[in-house]
Amino acid sequence: MKLRKFTLDDAARVALLAGDESVSEWTANIPFPYSETDAINWITATSNNPDRHPFAIEVCNEIVGCVSYWPHDRKSVEVGYWVGKSYWGKGFCTTALQSLINLESFPVNINIVAKVMAKNIASEKVLVKCGFSLSGQCAIKKHGNEISGKLFIKQSRT
């Protein structure tokens, strides 16, 4: 498995994976339906935004998902991830998140936070395996609505 930056050539694959209604159900920012045009717009927007750091999760030269980080507040960075439904339960999110946190470019000396939907047990397991602890309840904004979520934190590393 490796992490790499997205290119516009990835748009069709991103649309195929993220366009699954089950993937959209567990993510805050992926609408359903999700088209190749949506993927092109997202890749373009994030590549031009210095605060956003998405990486393609690639296995055997094929994208299986995305892991990313962005500023949460002045004292922490937030992480997020998703993989295509056919890749669920295979450890790709755990490995990708651990790899992301270990990148030289990943911020140090600040806490790392992650928000998961209240019933997303699989995502909670990923975070715990990566050294995160449950901090409490939180609200997650999804398509203009607030839904119940959980906030996880991993203390800063030096």
Side-chain angles (χ1 to χ4, degrees), residues 7-22:
T7 70
L8 288 177
D9 291 338
D10 299 323
R13 180 72 178 161
V14 170
L16 176 71
L17 296 172
D20 186 303
E21 190 171 11
S22 297

Side-chain angles (χ1 to χ4, degrees), residues 67-150:
V67 62
S68 58
Y69 71 92
W70 59 92
H72 178 72
D73 58 28
R74 289 187 1 244
K75 298 179 182 177
S76 59
V77 63
E78 187 169 345
V79 295
Y81 44 85
W82 60 266
V83 293
K85 187 175 181 179
S86 61
Y87 302 100
W88 290 3
K90 299 182 186 316
F92 294 126
C93 281
T94 301
T95 303
L97 183 56
Q98 289 168 334
S99 297
L100 178 76
I101 292 169
N102 289 323
L103 288 175
E104 279 189 33
S105 61
F106 193 86
V108 294
N109 300 324
I110 59 174
N111 292 335
I112 308 167
V113 302
K115 297 175 185 175
V116 299
M117 293 178 191
K119 296 180 182 179
N120 193 343
I121 305 304
S123 192
E124 290 182 35
K125 288 179 181 178
V126 167
L127 293 169
V128 170
K129 287 178 188 175
C130 291
F132 286 74
S133 299
L134 179 63
S135 174
Q137 304 298 312
C138 69
I140 296 175
K141 291 187 181 189
K142 181 175 173 87
H143 313 307
N145 299 312
E146 284 195 356
I147 59 173
S148 179
K150 296 180 182 179

